[in-house]
Protein backbone atom coordinates (compact mmCIF):
# COMPACT_ATOMS: atom_id res chain seq x y z
CA UNK A 1 0.00 0.00 0.00
CA UNK A 2 1.27 3.48 -0.91
CA UNK A 3 1.22 5.55 2.25
CA UNK A 4 2.65 8.92 1.24
CA UNK A 5 2.29 11.57 -1.44
CA UNK A 6 6.02 11.24 -2.19
CA UNK A 7 5.60 7.60 -3.18
CA UNK A 8 2.33 8.04 -5.04
CA UNK A 9 3.51 11.03 -7.09
CA UNK A 10 6.20 9.06 -8.89
CA UNK A 11 4.78 5.53 -8.68
CA UNK A 12 1.81 6.47 -10.84
CA UNK A 13 4.35 6.63 -13.69
CA UNK A 14 5.45 3.09 -12.89
CA UNK A 15 1.83 2.00 -13.21
CA UNK A 16 1.48 3.80 -16.56
CA UNK A 17 4.97 4.74 -17.88
CA UNK A 18 3.57 6.23 -21.09
CA UNK A 19 1.70 8.79 -18.97
CA UNK A 20 5.01 10.57 -18.38
CA UNK A 21 5.79 11.15 -22.06
CA UNK A 22 2.16 12.15 -22.69
CA UNK A 23 2.36 14.66 -19.86
CA UNK A 24 5.65 16.13 -21.10
CA UNK A 25 4.08 16.67 -24.52
CA UNK A 26 0.80 18.08 -23.23
CA UNK A 27 1.91 20.14 -20.23
CA UNK A 28 5.45 21.27 -21.04
CA UNK A 29 5.11 21.05 -24.84
CA UNK A 30 8.34 19.07 -25.03
CA UNK A 31 8.52 17.41 -28.50
CA UNK A 32 9.34 14.01 -27.06
CA UNK A 33 9.67 11.26 -29.71
CA UNK A 34 6.88 8.68 -29.77
CA UNK A 35 7.99 5.76 -27.55
CA UNK A 36 8.27 2.30 -29.06
CA UNK A 37 8.98 0.66 -25.71
CA UNK A 38 9.29 1.80 -22.08
CA UNK A 39 11.03 -0.23 -19.37
CA UNK A 40 11.24 0.39 -15.63
CA UNK A 41 14.86 0.17 -14.45
CA UNK A 42 16.45 -0.39 -11.05
CA UNK A 43 16.41 3.00 -9.32
CA UNK A 44 19.36 2.17 -7.04
CA UNK A 45 22.47 4.19 -8.01
CA UNK A 46 24.64 2.99 -5.12
CA UNK A 47 28.30 2.35 -6.04
CA UNK A 48 30.76 -0.05 -4.41
CA UNK A 49 31.54 2.56 -1.76
CA UNK A 50 28.97 2.60 1.07
CA UNK A 51 27.14 5.68 -0.26
CA UNK A 52 23.52 5.02 -1.10
CA UNK A 53 21.99 7.09 -3.88
CA UNK A 54 18.55 6.23 -5.17
CA UNK A 55 16.23 8.01 -7.58
CA UNK A 56 12.48 7.71 -7.11
CA UNK A 57 11.57 6.23 -10.50
CA UNK A 58 13.81 5.44 -13.48
CA UNK A 59 12.40 4.65 -16.93
CA UNK A 60 14.19 3.71 -20.15
CA UNK A 61 12.30 4.92 -23.22
CA UNK A 62 13.06 3.50 -26.65
CA UNK A 63 12.17 5.74 -29.61
CA UNK A 64 12.95 5.79 -33.32
CA UNK A 65 15.45 8.59 -32.78
CA UNK A 66 17.22 7.25 -29.70
CA UNK A 67 17.01 5.88 -26.17
CA UNK A 68 16.34 8.13 -23.18
CA UNK A 69 16.42 7.69 -19.42
CA UNK A 70 13.64 9.50 -17.56
CA UNK A 71 14.81 10.27 -14.02
CA UNK A 72 11.68 11.03 -11.96
CA UNK A 73 11.97 12.73 -8.58
CA UNK A 74 9.03 13.57 -6.28
CA UNK A 75 9.97 16.66 -4.29
CA UNK A 76 7.95 17.76 -1.26
CA UNK A 77 9.96 20.83 -0.30
CA UNK A 78 13.03 22.93 -1.13
CA UNK A 79 16.22 20.94 -0.55
CA UNK A 80 19.49 22.58 -1.58
CA UNK A 81 21.24 19.24 -1.15
CA UNK A 82 19.61 18.16 -4.42
CA UNK A 83 21.95 20.47 -6.37
CA UNK A 84 24.69 17.90 -6.06
CA UNK A 85 22.48 14.81 -6.01
CA UNK A 86 20.64 15.56 -9.25
CA UNK A 87 23.83 16.40 -11.12
CA UNK A 88 25.35 13.17 -9.85
CA UNK A 89 22.33 11.12 -10.92
CA UNK A 90 22.47 12.39 -14.49
CA UNK A 91 26.24 11.99 -14.86
CA UNK A 92 26.27 8.52 -13.32
CA UNK A 93 23.34 7.28 -15.40
CA UNK A 94 24.89 8.52 -18.63
CA UNK A 95 28.18 6.83 -17.77
CA UNK A 96 26.40 3.57 -16.90
CA UNK A 97 23.81 3.33 -19.70
CA UNK A 98 25.24 5.66 -22.39
CA UNK A 99 21.73 7.06 -22.85
CA UNK A 100 20.60 10.66 -22.61
CA UNK A 101 19.15 11.24 -19.09
CA UNK A 102 16.27 13.66 -18.54
CA UNK A 103 15.46 14.91 -15.02
CA UNK A 104 11.74 15.38 -14.23
CA UNK A 105 10.69 16.81 -10.86
CA UNK A 106 7.13 16.34 -9.51
CA UNK A 107 5.76 18.56 -6.77
CA UNK A 108 2.48 19.62 -5.18
CA UNK A 109 3.51 23.18 -4.25
CA UNK A 110 4.21 26.23 -6.41
CA UNK A 111 7.12 27.39 -4.24
CA UNK A 112 8.91 24.06 -4.62
CA UNK A 113 8.19 24.07 -8.36
CA UNK A 114 9.77 27.51 -8.79
CA UNK A 115 12.84 26.42 -6.85
CA UNK A 116 13.22 23.14 -8.71
CA UNK A 117 12.91 24.84 -12.12
CA UNK A 118 15.97 27.01 -11.56
CA UNK A 119 18.98 25.76 -13.55
CA UNK A 120 21.77 24.23 -11.48
CA UNK A 121 25.11 25.58 -12.70
CA UNK A 122 28.62 24.45 -11.80
CA UNK A 123 31.79 26.31 -12.72
CA UNK A 124 32.60 29.97 -13.31
CA UNK A 125 29.77 32.50 -13.53
CA UNK A 126 30.84 33.33 -17.09
CA UNK A 127 31.56 29.73 -18.10
CA UNK A 128 29.55 26.81 -16.73
CA UNK A 129 31.24 23.43 -16.78
CA UNK A 130 27.93 21.69 -16.12
CA UNK A 131 24.31 22.87 -16.22
CA UNK A 132 21.33 20.84 -15.00
CA UNK A 133 17.89 22.00 -16.15
CA UNK A 134 15.07 19.97 -14.57
CA UNK A 135 11.66 19.67 -16.19
CA UNK A 136 9.08 20.42 -13.48
CA UNK A 137 5.47 19.25 -13.22
CA UNK A 138 3.46 20.97 -10.50
CA UNK A 139 0.27 22.88 -9.69
CA UNK A 140 1.18 25.78 -12.00
CA UNK A 141 1.31 23.70 -15.20
CA UNK A 142 -0.44 20.35 -14.61
CA UNK A 143 -3.99 20.82 -15.97
CA UNK A 144 -6.97 21.12 -13.64
CA UNK A 145 -9.24 18.36 -14.91
CA UNK A 146 -12.73 19.04 -13.59
CA UNK A 147 -14.78 17.71 -16.51
CA UNK A 148 -15.87 14.07 -16.43
CA UNK A 149 -15.52 13.61 -20.19
CA UNK A 150 -12.02 15.05 -20.23
CA UNK A 151 -11.05 12.87 -17.25
CA UNK A 152 -12.35 9.75 -19.00
CA UNK A 153 -10.15 10.46 -22.05
CA UNK A 154 -6.97 9.95 -19.99
CA UNK A 155 -7.79 8.60 -16.54
CA UNK A 156 -4.15 8.30 -15.30
CA UNK A 157 -3.60 11.97 -16.21
CA UNK A 158 -6.81 12.86 -14.36
CA UNK A 159 -5.47 10.99 -11.33
CA UNK A 160 -2.15 12.83 -11.57
CA UNK A 161 -4.10 16.10 -11.77
CA UNK A 162 -5.96 15.21 -8.57
CA UNK A 163 -2.72 14.17 -6.87
CA UNK A 164 -1.04 17.45 -7.85
CA UNK A 165 -3.93 19.79 -7.04
CA UNK A 166 -5.29 17.94 -4.00
CA UNK A 167 -4.38 20.87 -1.76
CA UNK A 168 -6.17 23.50 -3.85
CA UNK A 169 -9.64 25.08 -3.69
CA UNK A 170 -10.90 23.13 -6.70
CA UNK A 171 -10.09 19.75 -5.22
CA UNK A 172 -13.78 18.79 -4.87
CA UNK A 173 -14.48 19.28 -8.58
CA UNK A 174 -11.29 17.46 -9.58
CA UNK A 175 -12.02 14.51 -7.30
CA UNK A 176 -15.60 14.30 -8.52
CA UNK A 177 -14.55 14.08 -12.18
CA UNK A 178 -11.87 11.51 -11.35
CA UNK A 179 -14.34 9.36 -9.38
CA UNK A 180 -16.63 9.26 -12.40
CA UNK A 181 -13.74 8.51 -14.78
CA UNK A 182 -12.51 5.59 -12.66
CA UNK A 183 -15.74 3.79 -13.47
CA UNK A 184 -14.80 3.72 -17.17
CA UNK A 185 -11.61 1.62 -16.79
CA UNK A 186 -10.77 -1.84 -15.48
CA UNK A 187 -11.32 -2.24 -11.72
CA UNK A 188 -7.74 -3.24 -10.85
CA UNK A 189 -6.22 -0.16 -12.48
CA UNK A 190 -8.95 2.00 -10.96
CA UNK A 191 -8.13 0.65 -7.50
CA UNK A 192 -4.43 1.50 -7.86
CA UNK A 193 -5.14 5.03 -9.10
CA UNK A 194 -7.65 5.53 -6.28
CA UNK A 195 -5.02 4.52 -3.74
CA UNK A 196 -2.40 6.84 -5.26
CA UNK A 197 -4.88 9.71 -5.09
CA UNK A 198 -5.75 8.91 -1.47
CA UNK A 199 -2.07 9.06 -0.52
CA UNK A 200 -1.61 12.56 -1.96
CA UNK A 201 -4.56 14.25 -0.26
CA UNK A 202 -3.42 16.21 2.79
CA UNK A 203 -6.42 18.51 3.25
CA UNK A 204 -8.89 16.89 5.70
CA UNK A 205 -11.94 18.00 3.75
CA UNK A 206 -10.49 16.68 0.47
CA UNK A 207 -9.72 13.38 2.22
CA UNK A 208 -13.32 13.09 3.41
CA UNK A 209 -14.70 13.99 -0.01
CA UNK A 210 -12.57 11.27 -1.60
CA UNK A 211 -13.54 8.66 0.98
CA UNK A 212 -17.22 9.43 0.43
CA UNK A 213 -16.91 9.35 -3.35
CA UNK A 214 -14.96 6.10 -3.31
CA UNK A 215 -17.38 4.47 -0.88
CA UNK A 216 -20.12 5.24 -3.39
CA UNK A 217 -18.48 3.30 -6.23
CA UNK A 218 -17.54 -0.37 -6.38
CA UNK A 219 -13.88 0.02 -7.41
CA UNK A 220 -12.96 1.49 -4.06
CA UNK A 221 -13.71 -1.76 -2.31
CA UNK A 222 -10.91 -3.52 -4.21
CA UNK A 223 -7.98 -1.68 -2.70
CA UNK A 224 -6.33 -1.61 0.71
CA UNK A 225 -7.45 1.86 1.73
CA UNK A 226 -11.05 0.80 1.25
CA UNK A 227 -10.55 -2.39 3.23
CA UNK A 228 -9.14 -0.30 6.06
CA UNK A 229 -12.13 2.04 5.94
CA UNK A 230 -14.54 -0.89 5.90
CA UNK A 231 -12.76 -2.56 8.82
CA UNK A 232 -12.91 0.69 10.79
CA UNK A 233 -16.61 0.86 10.00
CA UNK A 234 -17.15 -2.73 11.15
CA UNK A 235 -15.23 -2.04 14.34
CA UNK A 236 -17.33 1.03 15.04
CA UNK A 237 -20.43 -1.02 14.35
CA UNK A 238 -19.33 -3.68 16.86
CA UNK A 239 -18.65 -1.03 19.47
CA UNK A 240 -21.95 0.71 18.92
CA UNK A 241 -23.81 -2.56 18.58
CA UNK A 242 -26.52 -1.14 16.35
CA UNK A 243 -27.42 -0.60 12.71
CA UNK A 244 -28.22 3.05 13.33
CA UNK A 245 -24.57 4.13 13.07
CA UNK A 246 -24.20 2.69 9.55
CA UNK A 247 -27.47 4.25 8.40
CA UNK A 248 -26.47 7.68 9.69
CA UNK A 249 -23.07 7.33 8.03
CA UNK A 250 -24.53 6.49 4.59
CA UNK A 251 -27.16 9.21 4.83
CA UNK A 252 -24.58 11.80 5.79
CA UNK A 253 -22.26 10.65 3.00
CA UNK A 254 -25.03 11.02 0.40
CA UNK A 255 -25.89 14.54 1.51
CA UNK A 256 -22.22 15.55 1.77
CA UNK A 257 -21.52 14.47 -1.80
CA UNK A 258 -24.37 16.66 -3.05
CA UNK A 259 -23.26 19.64 -0.97
CA UNK A 260 -19.58 19.35 -1.95
CA UNK A 261 -20.66 19.24 -5.59
CA UNK A 262 -22.47 22.55 -5.08
CA UNK A 263 -25.97 21.06 -5.46
CA UNK A 264 -28.71 22.67 -3.36
CA UNK A 265 -30.34 20.17 -1.02
CA UNK A 266 -33.95 21.05 -0.10
CA UNK A 267 -35.20 20.14 3.35
CA UNK A 268 -37.61 17.60 1.81
CA UNK A 269 -34.69 15.69 0.25
CA UNK A 270 -32.60 15.96 3.39
CA UNK A 271 -35.45 14.67 5.56
CA UNK A 272 -36.18 11.74 3.23
CA UNK A 273 -32.54 10.66 3.15
CA UNK A 274 -32.16 11.00 6.93
CA UNK A 275 -35.38 9.03 7.54
CA UNK A 276 -34.39 6.07 5.34
CA UNK A 277 -33.78 2.82 7.24
CA UNK A 278 -32.81 0.70 4.20
CA UNK A 279 -29.01 0.49 3.93
CA UNK A 280 -29.10 -0.79 0.33
CA UNK A 281 -31.34 2.11 -0.68
CA UNK A 282 -28.92 4.58 0.89
CA UNK A 283 -26.01 2.96 -0.99
CA UNK A 284 -27.92 3.44 -4.25
CA UNK A 285 -28.67 7.09 -3.46
CA UNK A 286 -24.99 7.68 -2.65
CA UNK A 287 -23.99 6.32 -6.07
CA UNK A 288 -26.58 8.54 -7.77
CA UNK A 289 -25.28 11.56 -5.83
CA UNK A 290 -21.96 11.29 -7.68
CA UNK A 291 -23.67 12.00 -11.03
CA UNK A 292 -26.85 13.90 -10.13
CA UNK A 293 -27.31 17.49 -11.32
CA UNK A 294 -30.08 18.20 -8.82
CA UNK A 295 -30.97 16.63 -5.49
CA UNK A 296 -34.34 15.22 -6.60
CA UNK A 297 -32.57 12.90 -9.04
CA UNK A 298 -31.61 10.69 -6.11
CA UNK A 299 -35.13 9.31 -6.12
CA UNK A 300 -35.69 8.94 -9.85
CA UNK A 301 -36.09 5.39 -11.12
CA UNK A 302 -34.23 4.42 -14.31
Amino acid sequence: MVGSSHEALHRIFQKDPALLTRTLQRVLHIPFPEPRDIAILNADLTEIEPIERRVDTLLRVETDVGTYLLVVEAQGKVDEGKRGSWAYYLSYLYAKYRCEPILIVLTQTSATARWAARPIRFGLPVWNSLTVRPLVLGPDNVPLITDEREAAQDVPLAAFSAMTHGRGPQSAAILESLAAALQTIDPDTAAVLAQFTESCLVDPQAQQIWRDLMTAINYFFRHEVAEKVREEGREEGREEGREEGRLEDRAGMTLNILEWRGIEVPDSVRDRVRACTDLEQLELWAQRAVHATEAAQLFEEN
Side-chain angles (χ1 to χ4, degrees):
M1 174 177 170
V2 177
S4 71
S5 60
H6 178 275
E7 287 295 307
L9 269 178
H10 69 88
R11 282 184 57 183
I12 188 174
F13 296 108
Q14 296 179 15
K15 175 64 178 176
D16 182 3
L19 170 63
L20 192 53
T21 57
R22 295 200 306 273
T23 305
L24 292 179
Q25 293 168 344
R26 174 172 175 175
V27 176
L28 300 180
H29 306 292
I30 301 297
F32 199 95
E34 191 65 28
R36 286 188 287 102
D37 182 60
I38 300 179
I40 300 175
L41 303 181
N42 189 337
D44 192 346
L45 309 185
T46 306
E47 299 184 78
I48 296 176
E49 291 81 4
I51 301 176
E52 182 177 348
R53 297 185 188 274
R54 184 182 299 273
V55 300
D56 289 332
T57 288
L58 181 61
L59 304 173
R60 182 177 60 212
V61 182
E62 304 283 352
T63 76
D64 291 334
V65 297
T67 301
Y68 298 89
L69 297 176
L70 302 185
V71 185
V72 185
E73 286 279 281
Q75 193 67 29
K77 61 183 180 180
V78 174
D79 181 1
E80 293 299 334
K82 291 295 185 179
R83 278 175 50 87
S85 298
W86 287 343
Y88 171 86
Y89 295 164
L90 300 182
S91 299
Y92 175 84
L93 289 168
Y94 180 78
K96 180 176 181 179
Y97 292 101
R98 294 298 174 182
C99 300
E100 298 294 339
I102 301 171
L103 175 61
I104 302 163
V105 179
L106 317 172
T107 182
Q108 294 176 293
T109 67
S110 296
T112 304
R114 290 192 295 271
W115 163 80
R118 296 202 304 262
I120 302 169
R121 297 185 173 93
F122 295 93
L124 297 171
V126 297
W127 191 275
N128 302 141
S129 300
L130 175 66
T131 301
V132 177
R133 298 180 61 197
L135 295 172
V136 180
L137 295 172
D140 295 329
N141 56 13
V142 172
L144 280 161
I145 299 179
T146 58
D147 180 78
E148 292 182 13
R149 289 171 297 181
E150 183 181 1
Q153 291 174 1
D154 192 336
V155 182
L157 180 60
F160 185 58
S161 174
M163 293 158 63
T164 304
H165 295 284
R167 304 168 183 247
Q170 298 193 62
S171 58
I174 299 171
L175 295 175
E176 175 193 336
S177 65
L178 175 58
L182 287 177
Q183 299 176 73
T184 67
I185 62 176
D186 71 274
D188 291 335
T189 298
V192 173
L193 295 178
Q195 183 185 344
F196 285 159
T197 302
E198 164 92 15
S199 299
C200 286
L201 297 177
V202 296
D203 178 71
Q205 185 179 31
Q207 291 174 351
Q208 188 60 53
I209 291 172
W210 188 240
R211 286 163 67 96
D212 286 348
L213 287 169
M214 291 297 96
T215 303
I217 63 176
N218 293 332
Y219 298 120
F220 184 60
F221 291 91
R222 287 180 170 269
H223 71 78
E224 297 176 28
V225 174
E227 291 302 325
K228 179 180 178 182
V229 172
R230 294 172 71 192
E231 181 56 36
E232 289 174 353
R234 286 193 290 266
E235 184 63 30
E236 291 175 1
R238 286 192 290 269
E239 292 175 357
E240 295 175 355
R242 61 181 183 272
E243 183 77 2
E244 181 181 349
R246 288 193 291 272
L247 292 172
E248 290 179 355
D249 178 69
R250 288 298 182 270
M253 178 185 69
T254 302
L255 297 173
N256 285 340
I257 290 174
L258 291 173
E259 291 170 354
W260 284 325
R261 295 184 62 215
I263 296 175
E264 183 179 355
V265 183
D267 289 340
S268 58
V269 171
R270 191 180 303 276
D271 292 344
R272 181 173 176 181
V273 171
R274 291 291 187 191
C276 181
T277 58
D278 185 335
L279 191 58
E280 290 186 2
Q281 182 65 69
L282 287 170
E283 293 279 5
L284 177 60
W285 288 346
Q287 294 178 31
R288 290 177 179 173
V290 176
H291 302 283
T293 57
E294 58 183 43
Q297 291 179 351
L298 293 184
F299 315 126
E300 293 180 356
E301 298 297 333
N302 295 331

